[in-house]
Coordinates of all heavy atoms in Angstrom, one line a residue:
I85 N -14.4 7.5 -0.5 CA -13.4 7.9 -1.5 C -12.8 6.7 -2.2 O -12.7 6.8 -3.5 CB -12.4 8.8 -0.8 CG1 -12.9 10.2 -0.5 CG2 -11.1 8.9 -1.7 CD1 -12.1 11.0 0.5
L86 N -12.5 5.7 -1.5 CA -11.9 4.5 -2.2 C -12.9 3.9 -3.1 O -12.6 3.5 -4.2 CB -11.5 3.5 -1.1 CG -10.9 2.2 -1.7 CD1 -9.8 2.4 -2.6 CD2 -10.6 1.2 -0.6
S87 N -14.2 3.8 -2.7 CA -15.2 3.3 -3.5 C -15.4 4.1 -4.8 O -15.5 3.5 -5.9 CB -16.6 3.2 -2.8 OG -17.6 2.7 -3.6
R88 N -15.4 5.4 -4.7 CA -15.6 6.2 -5.9 C -14.4 6.2 -6.8 O -14.5 6.2 -8.0 CB -15.8 7.7 -5.4 CG -17.2 7.9 -4.8 CD -17.5 9.4 -4.6 NE -18.8 9.6 -4.0 CZ -19.5 10.7 -4.1 NH1 -19.1 11.6 -4.9 NH2 -20.7 10.8 -3.5
A89 N -13.2 6.1 -6.2 CA -12.0 6.0 -7.0 C -11.9 4.7 -7.8 O -11.5 4.7 -8.9 CB -10.7 6.1 -6.1
I90 N -12.3 3.6 -7.1 CA -12.4 2.3 -7.8 C -13.4 2.4 -9.0 O -13.1 1.9 -10.1 CB -12.7 1.2 -6.9 CG1 -11.6 0.9 -5.9 CG2 -13.0 -0.1 -7.6 CD1 -11.9 0.0 -4.8
R91 N -14.6 2.9 -8.7 CA -15.6 3.0 -9.7 C -15.1 3.9 -10.9 O -15.3 3.6 -12.1 CB -16.9 3.6 -9.1 CG -18.0 3.7 -10.2 CD -19.3 4.2 -9.5 NE -19.9 3.3 -8.6 CZ -19.8 3.4 -7.2 NH1 -19.2 4.5 -6.7 NH2 -20.4 2.5 -6.5
R92 N -14.5 5.0 -10.6 CA -14.0 5.9 -11.6 C -12.9 5.2 -12.5 O -12.9 5.3 -13.7 CB -13.4 7.2 -11.0 CG -12.8 8.2 -12.0 CD -12.1 9.3 -11.3 NE -12.9 10.2 -10.5 CZ -12.5 11.3 -9.9 NH1 -11.2 11.6 -10.0 NH2 -13.4 12.0 -9.2
T93 N -12.0 4.5 -11.8 CA -10.9 3.8 -12.6 C -11.5 2.7 -13.4 O -11.1 2.5 -14.6 CB -9.9 3.3 -11.6 OG1 -9.4 4.3 -10.8 CG2 -8.7 2.6 -12.4
A94 N -12.5 1.9 -12.9 CA -13.1 0.9 -13.6 C -13.8 1.4 -14.9 O -13.7 0.8 -16.0 CB -14.1 0.1 -12.8
G95 N -14.4 2.6 -14.8 CA -15.0 3.2 -15.9 C -14.1 3.5 -17.0 O -14.6 3.7 -18.2
L96 N -12.8 3.7 -16.7 CA -11.9 4.1 -17.8 C -11.5 2.9 -18.7 O -11.0 3.1 -19.8 CB -10.6 4.6 -17.1 CG -10.7 5.9 -16.4 CD1 -9.4 6.2 -15.7 CD2 -11.1 7.0 -17.3
H97 N -11.8 1.7 -18.2 CA -11.4 0.5 -19.1 C -12.5 -0.6 -19.1 O -12.2 -1.7 -19.6 CB -10.0 0.0 -18.8 CG -9.9 -0.6 -17.4 ND1 -9.1 -1.7 -17.2 CD2 -10.3 -0.2 -16.2 CE1 -9.1 -2.0 -15.9 NE2 -9.8 -1.1 -15.3
A98 N -13.7 -0.3 -18.7 CA -14.8 -1.3 -18.7 C -15.1 -1.7 -20.2 O -15.6 -2.8 -20.4 CB -16.0 -0.7 -18.0
D99 N -15.0 -0.8 -21.1 CA -15.3 -1.0 -22.5 C -14.3 -1.9 -23.2 O -14.6 -2.4 -24.3 CB -15.6 0.3 -23.3 CG -16.8 1.0 -22.8 OD1 -17.7 0.4 -22.1 OD2 -16.9 2.2 -23.0
T100 N -13.1 -1.9 -22.7 CA -12.0 -2.6 -23.4 C -11.5 -3.9 -22.7 O -10.8 -4.7 -23.3 CB -10.8 -1.7 -23.6 OG1 -10.4 -1.2 -22.3 CG2 -11.1 -0.5 -24.4
C101 N -11.9 -4.0 -21.4 CA -11.3 -5.1 -20.6 C -12.4 -5.9 -19.9 O -13.5 -5.4 -19.6 CB -10.3 -4.6 -19.6 SG -9.0 -3.5 -20.4
D102 N -12.1 -7.1 -19.5 CA -13.0 -8.0 -18.7 C -12.7 -7.7 -17.2 O -11.8 -8.4 -16.6 CB -12.8 -9.5 -19.1 CG -13.6 -10.4 -18.2 OD1 -14.5 -9.9 -17.5 OD2 -13.3 -11.6 -18.2
L103 N -13.4 -6.8 -16.6 CA -13.2 -6.5 -15.2 C -13.7 -7.5 -14.3 O -13.4 -7.4 -13.1 CB -13.8 -5.1 -14.9 CG -13.4 -3.9 -15.8 CD1 -13.9 -2.6 -15.3 CD2 -11.9 -3.9 -15.9
S104 N -14.4 -8.5 -14.8 CA -14.8 -9.6 -13.9 C -13.7 -10.7 -13.7 O -13.9 -11.5 -12.8 CB -16.1 -10.3 -14.5 OG -15.8 -10.9 -15.7
H105 N -12.7 -10.6 -14.5 CA -11.6 -11.5 -14.4 C -10.9 -11.4 -13.0 O -10.7 -10.3 -12.5 CB -10.5 -11.3 -15.4 CG -9.6 -12.4 -15.7 ND1 -8.7 -12.8 -14.7 CD2 -9.4 -13.2 -16.8 CE1 -8.0 -13.8 -15.2 NE2 -8.4 -14.1 -16.4
V106 N -10.7 -12.6 -12.3 CA -10.2 -12.5 -11.0 C -8.8 -11.9 -10.9 O -8.4 -11.3 -9.8 CB -10.1 -14.0 -10.4 CG1 -9.0 -14.8 -11.1 CG2 -9.9 -14.0 -8.9
R107 N -8.1 -11.8 -12.0 CA -6.7 -11.2 -12.0 C -6.7 -9.8 -12.6 O -5.7 -9.3 -13.0 CB -5.7 -12.1 -12.7 CG -5.5 -13.4 -12.0 CD -4.6 -14.3 -12.7 NE -4.4 -15.6 -12.1 CZ -3.8 -16.6 -12.7 NH1 -3.2 -16.5 -13.9 NH2 -3.7 -17.8 -12.1
T108 N -7.9 -9.2 -12.8 CA -7.9 -7.9 -13.4 C -7.0 -7.0 -12.5 O -6.8 -7.2 -11.3 CB -9.4 -7.3 -13.4 OG1 -9.4 -6.1 -14.1 CG2 -9.9 -7.0 -12.0
P109 N -6.4 -6.0 -13.1 CA -5.4 -5.1 -12.3 C -6.0 -4.7 -11.0 O -7.1 -4.3 -10.9 CB -5.2 -4.0 -13.3 CG -5.3 -4.6 -14.6 CD -6.4 -5.5 -14.5
Q110 N -5.1 -4.8 -10.0 CA -5.5 -4.5 -8.6 C -4.3 -4.0 -7.8 O -3.2 -4.1 -8.2 CB -6.2 -5.7 -8.0 CG -5.4 -7.0 -8.1 CD -6.3 -8.2 -8.0 OE1 -6.5 -8.7 -6.9 NE2 -6.8 -8.6 -9.1
A111 N -4.6 -3.5 -6.6 CA -3.6 -2.9 -5.8 C -3.9 -2.9 -4.3 O -5.1 -3.0 -3.9 CB -3.3 -1.5 -6.2
T112 N -2.9 -3.0 -3.5 CA -3.1 -2.7 -2.0 C -3.1 -1.2 -1.8 O -2.6 -0.5 -2.6 CB -2.0 -3.4 -1.2 OG1 -0.8 -2.6 -1.4 CG2 -1.8 -4.8 -1.6
V113 N -3.8 -0.8 -0.7 CA -4.0 0.6 -0.5 C -3.6 1.0 1.0 O -4.0 0.3 1.9 CB -5.4 1.0 -0.7 CG1 -5.6 2.5 -0.5 CG2 -5.9 0.6 -2.1
A114 N -2.9 2.1 1.1 CA -2.7 2.8 2.4 C -3.1 4.3 2.1 O -2.5 4.9 1.3 CB -1.3 2.7 2.9
L115 N -4.0 4.7 2.9 CA -4.6 6.1 2.7 C -4.7 6.8 4.0 O -5.2 6.2 5.0 CB -5.9 6.0 1.9 CG -6.7 7.2 1.6 CD1 -5.9 8.2 0.7 CD2 -8.0 6.8 1.0
A116 N -4.3 8.0 4.1 CA -4.5 8.8 5.3 C -4.8 10.3 4.9 O -4.4 10.8 3.9 CB -3.2 8.8 6.2
R117 N -5.6 10.9 5.8 CA -6.0 12.3 5.5 C -6.1 13.0 6.9 O -6.6 12.4 7.9 CB -7.4 12.4 4.8 CG -7.8 13.8 4.6 CD -9.1 13.8 3.7 NE -10.2 13.1 4.4 CZ -11.4 12.9 3.9 NH1 -11.7 13.4 2.6 NH2 -12.4 12.3 4.5

Side-chain angles (χ1 to χ4, degrees):
I85 284 167
L86 177 58
S87 178
R88 291 192 181 205
I90 291 173
R91 182 178 291 107
R92 179 187 294 184
T93 304
L96 295 174
H97 64 143
D99 293 339
T100 58
C101 306
D102 176 11
L103 303 189
S104 67
H105 197 293
V106 69
R107 296 177 184 172
T108 191
Q110 51 205 269
T112 71
V113 182
L115 177 62
R117 180 174 63 182

